[in-house]
Amino acid sequence: MSEAAENASTMSALVHHGPSGLAGVSRAEVPVPRVGSGEVLVELHAAAFNHRDLFIVGQRGEDDPVLVLGSDGAGVVSAVGPDVTKVRLGDKVVVNPSLDWARADETPEVPQILGGPRHGTMARYVLVPAENVEPKPVHLNWAEAAALPLAGLTAYRALFTRGHLGAGQHVLLPGIGSGVATLALLVAKAAGAEVSVTSRSEAKRQRAIELGASSALDTGTEWRAQLRRPVDLVVDGVGVAAFESCLSVLRAGGRMVTLGATTGDQVAVSLRRLFFQQISLVGTSMGSAEEFTAMLDFVAAHQLRPIVDHVYPFADAPTALADLEQGDQFGKLVVSF
């Protein structure tokens, strides 16, 4: 164990405890976890927020125990438990937030993830199974590495494992600006796909064009008439507000992968449209350790850099989460320790 970790009994963390929502979020001192068999303790250099953090705090209430928020993080291994062979003290690592999910062809009934119900990464230290850390891509700085795990894993599985993306295909990403959508844009372009995006924000549409999108549509317009050709694959995290428009742009035999519902999760769909046009409607969430490793290899091979909108000092972590709720960011909001 590193000297700092060995001497520390408590650590600063961003927690939820009390009223539902942001009102229950605060900085607090919590115990430093102690390492058990098969586990490692990571001293975090940076952590990143996801919309999942907002969902978690919105679902919790007064009687729930203190929870350290956060699913994304990168740092240095500061303690190694018994029976750990793949990780050494001092290794620079990124944390895979998806727990107990080894293979891409498996689908856990209830996926487990850091940041709820298990303590997450918005703290100086995080305790995880040794299988849940991988070497940090050397070309990434700490903020970029922290921005990568959950969004990168989710985008990779959505595009390839579930979406079967191939070079030359046309991908639509509604709601560009989120962590998953911005990483999906980079990954899909690197894979040789044509990418179109949508957003209400002119600035976000322009930024997507600069990153390689072939077209960027105003969310409030009619999409199909503006696209150069029909879409092979839609990867959507918007939900209700975009659902009908997403289906309308798919070619016959196209695929729609849904991974979020920021505007609601109850939709009406014409079954006749699905079966006559032979559309595949597929769900996905997070991913496996196998896909996490493949995603890191892809990022390293193509020298991809996650888009970081802003880096906050840890003292401003509550402000960062409130900013995430406003939805003005393009890319990830990261906290630096």
Side-chain angles (χ1 to χ4, degrees):
M1 180 180 289
S2 70
E3 183 177 350
E6 188 171 12
N7 292 335
S9 59
T10 64
M11 60 181 180
S12 294
L14 187 72
V15 305
H16 183 271
H17 186 229
S20 293
L22 295 180
V25 175
S26 64
R27 292 170 56 212
E29 289 293 311
V30 300
V32 174
R34 294 305 167 188
V35 181
S37 179
E39 296 177 324
V40 296
L41 189 70
V42 179
E43 183 177 2
L44 292 163
H45 283 234
F49 284 112
N50 296 279
H51 276 280
R52 181 179 188 273
D53 297 301
L54 294 171
F55 174 79
I56 290 292
V57 301
Q59 295 297 305
R60 289 169 50 83
E62 297 276 358
D63 297 330
D64 290 317
V66 173
L67 173 69
V68 178
L69 301 173
S71 301
D72 286 336
V76 176
V77 174
S78 62
V80 177
D83 303 320
V84 173
T85 57
K86 67 167 279 189
V87 183
R88 296 179 299 176
L89 201 67
D91 284 354
K92 297 178 180 179
V93 297
V94 291
V95 176
N96 175 7
S98 184
L99 304 169
D100 301 321
W101 187 355
R103 295 175 52 82
D105 59 1
E106 300 170 341
T107 305
E109 186 172 341
V110 181
Q112 299 296 313
I113 186 170
L114 294 177
R118 180 164 174 159
H119 286 320
T121 55
M122 284 291 159
R124 198 67 179 99
Y125 297 95
V126 65
L127 181 68
V128 292
E131 290 75 17
N132 281 76
V133 296
E134 296 291 342
K136 180 181 80 69
V138 294
H139 71 288
L140 299 182
N141 61 37
W142 285 117
E144 292 167 336
L148 181 60
L150 186 57
L153 176 60
T154 301
Y156 188 90
R157 179 174 172 85
L159 289 169
F160 298 118
T161 308
R162 304 291 280 161
H164 304 293
L165 178 65
Q169 293 186 343
H170 186 192
V171 181
L172 176 69
L173 303 173
I176 194 65
S178 73
V180 174
T182 54
L183 268 165
L185 169 57
L186 301 179
V187 171
K189 286 295 297 180
E194 177 186 357
V195 181
S196 296
V197 305
T198 77
S199 176
R200 293 172 295 178
S201 165
E202 183 178 353
K204 290 183 181 182
R205 297 196 300 270
Q206 182 57 43
R207 184 77 173 98
I209 293 294
E210 293 168 359
L211 291 171
S214 62
S215 58
L217 313 179
D218 187 331
T219 300
T221 62
E222 201 283 315
W223 301 353
R224 185 167 183 170
Q226 301 177 68
L227 294 173
R228 188 172 59 83
R229 61 182 174 119
V231 171
D232 299 287
L233 172 65
V234 174
V235 176
D236 176 54
V238 175
V240 172
F243 187 81
E244 182 61 30
S245 295
C246 290
L247 288 183
S248 74
V249 301
L250 280 174
R251 66 167 175 82
R255 293 99 61 202
M256 179 174 171
V257 178
T258 176
L259 52 81
T262 57
T263 61
D265 59 3
Q266 300 296 314
V267 299
V269 59
S270 167
L271 295 180
R272 287 185 175 83
R273 170 185 277 177
L274 292 185
F275 59 69
F276 278 131
Q277 296 185 355
Q278 302 198 40
I279 290 172
S280 297
L281 184 58
V282 181
T284 192
S285 181
M286 304 186 313
S288 65
E290 183 178 28
E291 290 157 313
F292 191 77
T293 301
M295 179 272 293
L296 291 175
D297 290 344
F298 188 95
V299 166
H302 294 277
Q303 295 289 284
L304 301 181
R305 292 183 177 275
I307 307 300
V308 176
D309 182 271
H310 192 74
V311 179
Y312 300 76
F314 177 69
D316 293 340
T319 300
L321 188 57
D323 288 348
L324 180 67
E325 187 176 48
Q326 295 302 310
D328 294 330
Q329 75 283 349
F330 190 95
K332 298 282 284 188
L333 301 183
V334 176
V335 169
S336 175
F337 294 93

